[in-house]
Amino acid sequence: MYDPTVARLTYRALLGRRRALILGALPLLLIVISVIVRALVGADDQTASDLLGGLALATMVPIIGVIAGTGAIGPEIDDGSVVYLLSKPLKRSTIIFTKLIVAIAVTMVFSALPTLIAGFILNGNGQQIAVAYTVAALVSSIAYAALFLLLGTVSRHAVVFGLVYALVWEALFGSLVAGARTLSVQQWSLAVAHKVAGGDLVTSDVSLPTATVLLVVVTVLATWYAGQKLRSLTLAGEE
């Protein structure tokens, strides 16, 4: 299910100079803002939770997921180079699964690790805030990578649609409209973070069992359907 050659090519595409700079910009901004806030406010648990929830989990993680998920396959489909990959004796499910693993790994590194660092800067992991949001970033990285990898296989405008989802649905509607929160990867991951942190600083509108089921279902279905779309691309190319 995992092909090292496909993984190496995908890592090379995702971590090229230009994309690596984009991937590193938001984490660097988060850490800089955390240093400034700590210097101005001091170690405050509520401030740490607000910043990690509002900037890290609601904005940084989904945007990095967009870049990593769509970038894992979208450019290859756009420029036609995916035909050479599909001509190899590899199962389409192996290609998708390998690219998903790479997208998840990149998203986790560029989102969860900076979240942990920022959390320790802000309040030294008081009330497990840093660890809780780091776990939420890790969990949401999996779902975002699967969703945006699927988007990269079905649309040539995957980045645009992905950013609309990340910035409008997750960051805007997800914070303002109660009903939208139930269908938000952010809220699902917050349910996990709430379990880790306990208390009232980290909250979610979704229960942990529901969030767990939804995270698993969305990840599995998105990965499966991406594989189906890749098979249809193969058939279209052969025809």
Side-chain angles (χ1 to χ4, degrees), residues 102-170:
V102 173
I104 289 173
V106 170
T107 305
M108 285 182 172
V109 168
F110 283 92
S111 62
L113 183 58
T115 298
L116 182 64
I117 295 172
F120 273 97
I121 291 173
L122 287 166
N123 75 333
N125 194 37
Q127 298 194 51
Q128 293 292 305
I129 297 297
V131 172
Y133 278 103
T134 298
V135 171
L138 290 170
V139 170
S140 59
S141 292
I142 299 173
Y144 282 133
L147 281 172
F148 296 131
L149 179 65
L150 169 62
L151 199 56
T153 65
V154 301
S155 173
R156 291 182 177 273
H157 306 289
V159 174
V160 175
F161 292 138
L163 289 175
V164 168
Y165 173 84
L167 298 178
V168 177
W169 183 265
E170 290 277 10

Side-chain angles (χ1 to χ4, degrees), residues 49 127-129 190 193-204:
S49 181
Q127 298 194 51
Q128 293 292 305
I129 297 297
L190 279 173
H194 173 70
K195 178 66 176 180
V196 175
D200 298 325
L201 283 175
V202 183
T203 60
S204 173

Side-chain angles (χ1 to χ4, degrees), residues 2-235:
Y2 180 86
D3 185 83
T5 301
V6 174
R8 184 172 64 254
L9 294 173
T10 306
Y11 275 118
R12 186 179 301 173
L14 284 178
L15 300 178
R17 182 177 301 177
R18 181 180 301 177
R19 189 169 276 112
L21 288 174
I22 297 174
L23 285 169
L26 277 175
L28 180 60
L29 178 63
L30 172 65
I31 292 174
V32 170
I33 291 177
S34 299
V35 171
I36 295 173
V37 170
R38 176 61 187 265
L40 295 176
V41 179
D44 182 77
D45 294 341
Q46 185 63 59
T47 300
S49 181
D50 292 342
L51 183 59
L52 293 179
L55 179 56
L57 197 62
T59 304
M60 181 186 71
V61 181
I63 290 179
I64 290 176
V66 170
I67 298 171
T70 60
I73 196 169
E76 293 176 308
I77 294 177
D78 290 342
D79 62 20
S81 61
V82 71
V83 173
Y84 297 100
L85 181 61
L86 297 177
S87 66
K88 303 300 181 182
L90 290 172
K91 292 181 179 179
R92 304 307 172 243
S93 57
T94 298
I95 296 174
I96 287 295
F97 184 76
T98 301
K99 288 182 172 294
L100 175 63
I101 294 299
V102 173
I104 289 173
V106 170
T107 305
M108 285 182 172
V109 168
F110 283 92
S111 62
L113 183 58
T115 298
L116 182 64
I117 295 172
F120 273 97
I121 291 173
L122 287 166
N123 75 333
N125 194 37
Q127 298 194 51
Q128 293 292 305
I129 297 297
V131 172
Y133 278 103
T134 298
V135 171
L138 290 170
V139 170
S140 59
S141 292
I142 299 173
Y144 282 133
L147 281 172
F148 296 131
L149 179 65
L150 169 62
L151 199 56
T153 65
V154 301
S155 173
R156 291 182 177 273
H157 306 289
V159 174
V160 175
F161 292 138
L163 289 175
V164 168
Y165 173 84
L167 298 178
V168 177
W169 183 265
E170 290 277 10
L172 182 60
F173 285 99
S175 60
L176 298 178
V177 182
R181 296 171 189 168
T182 306
L183 300 176
S184 167
V185 174
Q186 176 192 345
Q187 289 297 321
W188 304 341
S189 60
L190 279 173
V192 180
H194 173 70
K195 178 66 176 180
V196 175
D200 298 325
L201 283 175
V202 183
T203 60
S204 173
D205 290 345
V206 184
S207 67
L208 181 59
T210 301
T212 303
V213 171
L214 289 172
L215 283 166
V216 172
V217 168
V218 166
T219 301
V220 172
L221 286 181
T223 305
W224 172 81
Y225 192 61
Q228 297 303 307
K229 293 300 294 183
L230 197 62
R231 288 190 180 92
S232 69
L233 285 175
T234 305
L235 294 174

